[in-house]
Amino acid sequence: MRFDFRYVIKVFPNILSYLPVTLGIAFLSGAIAMLLSVALLALRKIHCRALQAALNFYLDFFRGTPVVVQLFFLYYGLAQLFPVFKNLNGLTAAIIGLSLNASSYMSESMRGAVQSVHPRQVEAGLACGLTQTQVMWHIVFPQAARIAVPTLTNDFIGLIKSSAVAFVLGVRDVMAQTKMLGGSSYRFFECYFVAIIIYFILTKLIHTFQLWLEKKLDVRTRNGGKKCSRSVS
Amino acid sequence: MLQISQLKKSFDSLQVLNGIDLHVKKGEVVSVIGPSGTGKSTLLRCINYLEQPTSGSITIDGLCISPETKSRKRLYEIRRKSSMIFQDHSLFENKTVLENITLPLISAYGYSKSDAEVKAMDILQAIGLADKYNQYPYALSGGQQQRAGIGRALAIEPKVMLFDEPTSALDPSLINEVLELIRSLAEKHMTMLIVTHEMSFARHVSDRVIFMNHGIILEEGTPDQIFTSPRCHETKSFIKSTIQRVNF
Ligand SMILES: Nc1ncnc2c1ncn2[C@@H]1O[C@H](COP(=O)(O)OP(=O)(O)OP(=O)(O)O)[C@@H](O)[C@H]1O
Ligand SMILES: [Mg+2]
């Protein structure tokens, strides 16, 4: 079989039209995962043995088992045990599963970033009379954000790639559509070639955004250029 | 102005402060000297409750706090009466020099943004850093960073300023500009408690010198008395050790 470039051109728009589904899953799960991660971080501050053990288990579970198994477990397994999960559709289950999974990675990235802010920054803030919340808001989080950008972006790229397994729950995303077209035309190479190009360009764009954001958040690249309502007199 | 009584602090089984009693009068400059690990930093950190003492009370400007009477509100009130200058890394790295000064003014002391900026610029002018107002800390020399930190501490008009080895992390060539600034504050009768290893500075700038050893105040007196005729044997050998430098 020869590589049929015309077929590639032909199916490209078709497969691309499912990109919004992939993006929707990725961004929605990503956003939920971020919120969950912040919540996990906050829970980490509570001194309770049982709670901390549960959190550790949560992280180990989601990082230590394959995401596809987690999705099956959530979608098919839990529905058998708890009837409420029967009404869950594949898309919702995929988003829930991927959010939980990504949150286990993202919360660790955030924790690392917060920890790498010099402790003196916190002390100096408190010593100046700021409250703990103000110190976190004005000093720790902005500095941690800069540090967290590369790892969180990596986590997000991982999430996009994981989202391709959502097809196992019957979700019609880029991957599912590719698989279907390939199956009906037997032009597997061309179809998956298109899918690979789409995923590759998508993650490349996100990586570019990461570099831009890193630069934007780095004080070293904006020194002297910041606007101030008052100038030197 | 600052009254410390029977202050004790231990970390688990390690007893660091063994009952400190200290009174600093308004406008007085007190230097604290002593060997490494005797609890000088811990003392300062207890004064503004970055570290909670195990027991004992601290009174600044009539406001008293002790572990028993501690409340969140009291904690913030007492911190706002003093300001602390650390060895290094104390400027907020994500804020410009100007913002470093205005942030506490706006967030903790209720200044409006424009009032805070006017005040911050006045202080920067006074400490000779006005041209750096828009720079981030990384772009400042160590000495400039310390001066900016002192400026930030001054801006909140503290009742007492606490210095924890403000020049220890600096290049020798940058030490003087910082000591100069502290001396100018002493001349304006700012109440200050200074932990330092700069003996000649302590001698010239302070009204009183305190020698700490193993978590207690072993000896205190005027600079001349401590440096020329110390009573305790430990003080004598400590001062001797700081004067004698090994020649390589
Ligand atoms: N957070 C802490 N937890 C446990 N031990 C501590 C803590 N902070 C200080 N210590 C211990 O308390 C003792 C006194 O420390 P401190 O920093 O107050 O000494 P110092 O007099 O400031 O010394 P230096 O001149 O070296 O700065 C040291 O033995 C130190 O190990
Ligand atoms: Mg110290």
Side-chain angles (χ1 to χ4, degrees):
Chain A
M1 217 172 186
R2 280 182 52 243
F3 177 66
D4 185 345
F5 191 70
R6 283 220 306 277
Y7 186 72
V8 168
I9 301 290
K10 187 167 153 254
V11 290
F12 194 88
N14 184 320
I15 295 179
L16 192 65
S17 69
Y18 287 85
L19 183 62
V21 180
T22 290
L23 286 181
I25 296 174
F27 277 95
L28 194 56
S29 310
I32 297 172
M34 292 274 264
L35 294 178
L36 278 175
S37 309
V38 174
L40 287 171
L41 271 193
L43 290 177
R44 277 249 170 251
K45 293 274 167 219
I46 298 173
H47 295 283
C48 165
R49 279 262 182 82
L51 178 68
Q52 296 310 322
L55 289 178
N56 283 334
F57 177 75
Y58 179 95
L59 298 183
D60 288 344
F61 174 78
F62 282 106
R63 296 192 302 167
T65 55
V67 64
V68 61
V69 180
Q70 292 164 14
L71 291 182
F72 274 148
F73 184 68
L74 179 76
Y75 189 53
Y76 299 111
L78 288 182
Q80 257 183 356
L81 217 58
F82 306 103
V84 275
F85 286 106
K86 280 233 167 66
N87 301 326
L88 211 61
N89 65 38
L91 183 63
T92 319
I95 290 174
I96 293 176
L98 290 170
S99 305
L100 294 176
N101 181 278
S103 72
S104 67
Y105 290 95
M106 289 182 170
S107 73
E108 285 296 274
S109 301
M110 290 184 186
R111 188 169 69 96
V114 168
Q115 269 177 355
S116 62
V117 174
H118 200 293
R120 184 63 52 72
Q121 297 280 304
V122 176
E123 294 187 339
L126 291 176
C128 286
L130 300 179
T131 63
Q132 189 79 42
T133 322
Q134 288 172 331
V135 170
M136 284 293 161
W137 186 253
H138 292 291
I139 298 156
V140 178
F141 290 155
Q143 292 185 29
R146 160 71 185 81
I147 301 166
V149 166
T151 44
L152 279 181
T153 316
N154 268 343
D155 296 338
F156 184 62
I157 288 176
L159 172 61
I160 292 179
K161 293 189 288 187
S162 308
S163 78
V165 303
F167 82 91
V168 298
L169 304 189
V171 178
R172 265 265 198 108
D173 66 345
V174 168
M175 173 61 195
Q177 183 63 9
T178 309
K179 190 168 172 298
M180 250 185 44
L181 286 178
S184 60
S185 66
Y186 289 103
R187 294 217 163 261
F188 293 114
F189 187 90
E190 285 83 353
C191 290
Y192 285 113
F193 179 74
V194 169
I196 287 213
I197 297 271
I198 291 175
Y199 280 113
F200 185 82
I201 292 178
L202 178 57
T203 52
K204 193 74 199 159
L205 284 177
I206 290 171
H207 181 68
T208 312
F209 172 74
Q210 168 200 334
L211 297 180
W212 173 81
L213 192 62
E214 268 179 52
K215 211 166 167 187
K216 187 167 159 50
L217 293 179
D218 191 351
V219 295
R220 277 150 218 261
T221 56
R222 63 176 180 205
N223 217 12
K226 194 164 177 184
K227 282 201 203 76
C228 173
S229 53
R230 198 191 144 98
S231 54
V232 195
S233 40
Chain B
M1 183 54 69
L2 168 67
Q3 172 89 51
I4 300 168
S5 50
Q6 274 309 305
L7 189 73
K8 292 189 178 152
K9 171 71 186 172
S10 50
F11 294 106
D12 299 321
S13 62
L14 181 71
Q15 181 88 21
V16 178
L17 298 177
N18 291 310
I20 300 275
D21 287 292
L22 177 64
H23 177 80
V24 181
K25 291 194 288 286
K26 189 163 189 285
E28 196 180 17
V29 179
V30 177
S31 291
V32 181
I33 59 171
S36 188
T38 44
K40 304 181 298 294
S41 299
T42 307
L43 172 63
L44 290 196
R45 295 164 58 79
C46 282
I47 294 175
N48 62 12
Y49 264 65
L50 284 177
E51 214 69 80
Q52 177 170 330
T54 315
S55 66
S57 71
I58 287 153
T59 312
I60 304 178
D61 192 32
L63 188 70
C64 177
I65 188 168
S66 65
E68 299 82 43
T69 63
K70 183 196 137 203
S71 68
R72 185 174 285 238
K73 184 163 166 283
R74 184 69 64 87
L75 189 74
Y76 288 131
E77 278 172 2
I78 200 101
R79 277 197 191 134
R80 285 170 193 181
K81 294 213 176 273
S82 67
S83 65
M84 179 128 165
I85 289 91
F86 302 87
Q87 245 178 47
D88 54 4
H89 284 294
S90 58
L91 287 183
F92 308 135
E93 284 160 19
N94 58 321
K95 302 278 176 199
T96 61
V97 170
L98 186 77
E99 289 167 337
N100 259 278
I101 301 180
T102 57
L103 175 65
L105 289 178
I106 295 169
S107 299
Y109 295 84
Y111 278 64
S112 71
K113 186 164 187 282
S114 56
D115 286 352
E117 281 176 359
V118 169
K119 175 153 203 185
M121 283 312 292
D122 286 347
I123 285 179
L124 287 176
Q125 210 92 52
I127 60 178
L129 284 176
D131 56 328
K132 301 284 184 194
Y133 80 101
N134 207 15
Q135 299 281 311
Y136 285 89
Y138 83 90
L140 266 54
S141 74
Q144 291 168 335
Q145 290 186 24
Q146 281 307 73
R147 276 154 58 207
I150 295 172
R152 183 176 69 190
L154 271 175
I156 64 179
E157 294 171 19
K159 299 294 172 193
V160 48
M161 290 179 88
L162 311 167
F163 292 84
D164 191 4
E165 300 186 25
T167 57
S168 293
L170 293 181
D171 258 27
S173 61
L174 302 173
I175 290 177
N176 280 344
E177 60 181 84
V178 176
L179 295 184
E180 270 311 316
L181 177 56
I182 301 175
R183 191 176 63 188
S184 75
L185 297 177
E187 279 161 6
K188 288 179 201 139
H189 303 291
M190 172 61 82
T191 314
M192 298 192 279
L193 189 59
I194 307 172
V195 173
T196 183
H197 288 302
E198 295 289 331
M199 294 304 151
S200 66
F201 171 72
R203 184 166 184 176
H204 288 110
V205 87
S206 348
D207 300 311
R208 186 149 52 107
V209 175
I210 284 173
F211 177 71
M212 264 181 80
N213 201 9
H214 297 306
I216 54 165
I217 295 179
L218 199 63
E219 182 169 359
E220 62 178 295
T222 62
D224 281 339
Q225 190 249 308
I226 294 283
F227 284 107
T228 54
S229 52
R231 281 189 300 271
C232 298
H233 154 74
E234 286 88 349
T235 319
K236 203 174 290 174
S237 58
F238 173 75
I239 287 167
K240 209 167 144 205
S241 75
T242 60
I243 294 168
Q244 285 176 342
R245 286 277 153 79
V246 184
N247 288 315
F248 287 102

